[in-house]
Amino acid sequence: MANTCILSGLEIPKGKQNIEHLVPKSRVPKYIANNPYNLYPAHKVINCIKGNLLPCEFEERKFSLSYHALESWRMKSDDREFVRRTIENWEKNYQPDWCSICLLQCREKMR
């Protein structure tokens, strides 16, 4: 599902997709950050909410960060609704196995 957000598990609306560096560019060397196994489609707003957190850090803080964004960020109504739907999807147990896809855990993918 190429048009599914890795972070939310939801289909990304047209014009709202960008590339998520699962292991953030700011935290690893280029050869890890730009590895094809580190690049996933994501919704722009959810990607901004994740920021430069590692996947496991994001997993721990995703609810508080998303609620903070809903309360504090100026965003379009369709983006606000996507964040709400994302929270609902997480509550329904959408939870990727971050360790199985994280390049910091999967060294064989970097070879």
Side-chain angles (χ1 to χ4, degrees), residues 5-19:
C5 175
I6 186 69
L7 302 173
S8 70
L10 301 174
E11 184 175 341
I12 304 167
K14 186 175 182 177
K16 299 291 183 171
Q17 179 174 319
N18 66 8
I19 299 299

Side-chain angles (χ1 to χ4, degrees), residues 1-23 38-51 58 79 82-83 86 90 94 96 98 101:
M1 292 190 277
N3 206 25
T4 300
C5 175
I6 186 69
L7 302 173
S8 70
L10 301 174
E11 184 175 341
I12 304 167
K14 186 175 182 177
K16 299 291 183 171
Q17 179 174 319
N18 66 8
I19 299 299
E20 158 65 6
H21 291 78
L22 196 61
V23 178
N38 191 46
L39 306 175
Y40 294 89
H43 187 280
K44 291 179 179 183
V45 173
I46 306 301
N47 198 9
C48 286
I49 290 170
K50 178 184 173 279
F58 178 65
D79 291 335
F82 193 89
V83 174
T86 296
W90 290 335
Y94 171 73
W98 296 121
I101 60 175

Side-chain angles (χ1 to χ4, degrees), residues 30 77 93 110:
K30 271 186 175 181
S77 61
N93 292 321
M110 291 187 287

Side-chain angles (χ1 to χ4, degrees), residues 90-105:
W90 290 335
E91 289 171 342
K92 293 176 185 173
N93 292 321
Y94 171 73
Q95 185 177 13
D97 180 5
W98 296 121
C99 292
S100 71
I101 60 175
C102 177
L103 288 184
L104 297 179
Q105 298 293 326

